[in-house]
Amino acid sequence: MKIIEFVKQTIRLFEIRREERKAAIISALVFIVLNALNVVRYFDALTSVSKDTWNTFIKGWHVSGFDPITYSVITKWSCGYNIYRHPLLAYFVWPFTKVNELLTSLFGMNFAIIITALLLVFFATYSYLFLSRIFWEIIGTSRREAYVLSALNFSFAFVLLSTLVPDHFCPSMFCLILTLYLCGRKLQRGRALNWWQTVLMFFFTAGISLNNGLKIFLMAFVTRRKRFFRPGYLIVAVLLPSALMWGAARLGYAQFVWPKEVARKERADKLRKKQLERLQMQAVQKIETNDTALIAKAKDSVKTALAEKREKRRKMSAAYKHTGKPIAQGEFIRWTDITTSRWDVAVECLFGEGVMLHEDYLLGDVLVNRPVIVKYHNWFNYVMEAFLVASFLLGIWFGRRSLFCWTALSFFLMDMLLHMGLGFGINEIFIMSPHYLFVLPVAIGFLLKALPQPRRRLLTMAIAATTAYFTIWNVTLLVEYLFVL
């Protein structure tokens, strides 16, 4: 009976209500148009049936630092994602690989780019709807204000991009917004998240992006309070799923990734050895001597010169130049960064590139050709950024007595600790925008609710104008990147 009731609740949750239908249709059409831009631009390059699928996608598709792994996995299934960061994502994609194989056999064309676009439209549309429900059901704004605030979220540059690029960010955003919405409903009704709801949401959210699984436990703690630490719940809903998820990641790495890495390293070592032997032979032939000491010296000189050349090439690479110094060397700690300027990143990347694209190095990749810090030509962009941040901070102030506001803010702060504090991915923090930028309009919703009606209407108009500015700015530059540059 519990299963039947759960199915009914899920259906009701995803049912588009009569009052939402117009907003759902409009938002879906917007996301269809955005995905059409990507599909049209890359249709010829990515719909042909190719044996070397990875190179086809990695060479044929490029938008900023996003990865076209989903296209590759849907085309030919593999555990292609970083398994420690996305433990179950490849398995979630597997059914769509089978759909693509069927369509390819029927029509002789790769449908990966189209299947991905349809999935993204679904996730983006429901993200918009659930975010709108947060505003009017939980925070208490009007429906019009809710739609404006939701549109603000999707006008942010890298949130907008996440709805059309073949990466994990849009599904992750969907899971986080849904999680926040369910948390708000629980808080309104004074109910707690039970163990199977926690496990289910952790399974999907952490399965797509492991670090976001912590936000599920945070939500469970907010709704359960002291009951979160009951031994039965803690073991069944927190410790056991975490251990299983990590075990699945380790097992997947050992089974799918490690053998390929070993083979890749062996091939690379063999090529380096052949190159070294060839260069050493050329050096020995030049000195024309049978003196073993001179021959050994010549070989050592070649080996040293080759190592120095490789090290110089490594230090000249964009990946090296644009990555700060880590806290220490280790399996995961080496991904940290303690030297990149936090202030510059906050202004130009966190609330800059994440919200409004820069004209210079448009949608370039930090690991290829884009500097970490790029500045706007137009001073007005900084004014818009300041308005957004000021509204966000004021929203936090007016929502300071709301547990739901602090729950949403904790999602944001958790990512800030990870990226701005420890420096994980700080050189391209804007790519992670869909994981946390939706908290900005949520906080602004508390600001709107607190204002008297005349000022509330004025601020709503200002937010709508800001949304229009961000959308026009970002879409114009996106079209320029796709079809002009």
Side-chain angles (χ1 to χ4, degrees):
M1 292 298 293
K2 286 185 177 181
I3 296 176
I4 295 173
E5 182 60 29
F6 168 72
V7 172
K8 288 181 179 178
Q9 288 178 0
T10 304
I11 292 172
R12 286 197 294 269
L13 184 66
F14 283 87
E15 183 181 6
I16 298 175
R17 305 160 189 172
R18 179 177 296 178
E19 62 271 18
E20 295 176 326
R21 289 174 187 171
K22 185 181 293 185
I25 292 171
I26 293 172
S27 60
L29 288 174
V30 170
F31 297 130
I32 287 170
V33 170
L34 287 173
N35 275 273
L37 293 174
N38 181 59
V39 171
V40 169
R41 170 61 180 84
Y42 294 106
F43 187 84
D44 291 337
L46 303 185
T47 53
S48 61
V49 179
S50 173
K51 293 181 180 179
D52 192 356
T53 57
W54 174 249
N55 283 333
T56 299
F57 297 124
I58 205 70
K59 293 178 181 178
W61 186 93
H62 183 269
V63 176
S64 192
F66 293 108
D67 297 317
I69 299 172
T70 301
Y71 290 156
S72 178
V73 175
I74 288 180
T75 300
K76 184 179 179 181
W77 192 89
S78 68
C79 205
Y81 305 95
N82 183 313
I83 204 160
Y84 286 128
R85 294 166 62 186
H86 317 290
L88 302 179
L89 186 52
Y91 306 104
F92 294 156
V93 172
W94 179 81
F96 304 102
T97 302
K98 295 304 173 184
V99 172
N100 186 53
E101 288 175 359
L102 175 61
L103 292 173
T104 300
S105 66
L106 292 174
F107 300 100
M109 186 180 85
N110 188 353
F111 282 80
I113 191 170
I114 297 172
I115 292 172
T116 304
L118 293 174
L119 290 171
L120 290 171
V121 169
F122 170 85
F123 286 121
T125 301
Y126 271 100
S127 295
Y128 180 88
L129 291 177
F130 285 129
L131 190 57
S132 298
R133 290 179 188 177
I134 286 173
F135 293 123
W136 76 61
E137 289 184 21
I138 297 166
I139 297 176
T141 68
S142 69
R143 290 190 185 278
R144 181 176 297 178
E145 291 166 344
Y147 291 138
V148 170
L149 288 167
S150 295
L152 174 65
N153 177 64
F154 287 94
S155 71
F156 298 153
F158 274 74
V159 176
L160 183 150
L161 286 171
S162 74
T163 67
L164 61 97
V165 298
D167 215 316
H168 75 282
F169 293 102
C170 190
S172 287
M173 177 177 65
F174 163 80
C175 288
L176 292 172
I177 290 174
L178 175 59
T179 295
L180 193 60
Y181 172 61
L182 294 175
C183 179
R185 286 178 48 165
K186 292 286 185 182
L187 289 173
Q188 277 184 331
R189 300 170 186 178
R191 296 181 181 177
L193 204 67
N194 61 38
W195 72 268
W196 63 266
Q197 291 171 328
T198 306
V199 170
L200 190 64
M201 285 190 284
F202 178 79
F203 173 76
F204 286 106
T205 306
I208 294 173
S209 186
L210 186 61
N211 60 294
N212 285 331
L214 294 173
K215 297 172 184 177
I216 302 300
F217 297 146
L218 178 63
M219 187 191 76
F221 172 72
V222 168
T223 61
R224 295 183 65 86
R225 311 285 180 88
K226 293 180 180 179
R227 287 176 291 173
F228 179 84
F229 297 102
R230 287 179 178 175
Y233 178 86
L234 205 58
I235 292 169
V236 174
V238 179
L239 299 179
L240 185 59
S242 299
L244 290 174
M245 187 68 72
W246 184 247
R250 298 293 293 189
L251 181 64
Y253 181 83
Q255 185 174 355
F256 295 109
V257 181
W258 177 246
K260 292 181 180 179
E261 288 190 351
V262 170
R264 191 182 300 116
K265 186 178 184 302
E266 288 177 351
R267 287 195 300 270
D269 289 344
K270 191 178 291 185
L271 287 173
R272 289 195 187 100
K273 186 179 179 181
K274 285 183 178 180
Q275 183 188 25
L276 177 60
E277 290 173 350
R278 177 173 54 81
L279 292 173
Q280 286 177 333
M281 188 179 294
Q282 291 173 358
V284 170
Q285 289 173 349
K286 284 182 180 179
I287 61 175
E288 297 179 349
T289 181
N290 293 323
D291 188 324
T292 55
L294 290 175
I295 290 173
K297 185 177 180 181
K299 287 184 175 181
D300 287 342
S301 178
V302 169
K303 187 176 182 180
T304 302
L306 190 60
E308 290 176 350
K309 184 179 180 181
R310 285 173 180 158
E311 180 64 13
K312 184 179 179 181
R313 188 183 302 143
R314 184 182 73 86
K315 290 184 176 180
M316 289 293 290
S317 68
Y320 179 85
K321 289 181 178 179
H322 300 158
T323 301
K325 183 180 178 181
I327 296 172
Q329 294 296 330
E331 188 175 7
F332 297 107
I333 203 71
R334 61 187 172 85
W335 294 342
T336 59
D337 183 332
I338 58 174
T339 55
T340 299
S341 168
R342 267 48 177 179
W343 174 258
D344 289 340
V345 167
V347 173
E348 302 296 349
C349 300
L350 175 61
F351 298 114
E353 180 78 357
V355 174
M356 293 173 287
L357 297 174
H358 286 86
E359 308 99 302
D360 294 336
Y361 302 96
L362 179 58
L363 290 172
D365 191 340
V366 169
L367 300 181
V368 179
N369 61 354
R370 183 192 189 276
V372 176
I373 304 301
V374 180
K375 297 185 180 296
Y376 295 107
H377 296 174
N378 189 347
W379 61 268
F380 188 68
N381 283 7
Y382 292 105
V383 173
M384 299 300 289
E385 182 180 341
F387 170 73
L388 179 67
V389 174
S391 300
F392 173 48
L393 294 176
L394 285 171
I396 294 172
W397 173 256
F398 284 105
R400 67 191 183 279
R401 292 188 177 89
S402 167
L403 181 58
F404 179 76
C405 180
W406 283 109
T407 303
L409 190 61
S410 66
F411 282 20
F412 179 84
L413 293 175
M414 191 177 292
D415 283 321
M416 292 306 100
L417 174 64
L418 186 68
H419 301 308
M420 296 293 282
L422 296 174
F424 283 101
I426 193 172
N427 58 352
E428 49 181 1
I429 187 173
F430 42 82
I431 288 181
M432 275 69 77
S433 295
H435 288 169
Y436 53 79
L437 278 189
F438 62 86
V439 177
L440 273 65
V442 169
I444 295 171
F446 284 95
L447 171 59
L448 268 178
K449 184 183 176 183
L451 293 177
Q453 195 56 43
R455 292 182 182 179
R456 186 167 170 169
R457 189 180 300 112
L458 189 63
L459 180 58
T460 302
M461 292 172 62
I463 294 170
T466 302
T467 300
Y469 180 82
F470 289 163
T471 302
I472 294 169
W473 178 273
N474 292 322
V475 172
T476 300
L477 289 177
L478 173 63
V479 171
E480 179 183 337
Y481 175 82
L482 292 175
F483 299 103
V484 179
L485 296 181

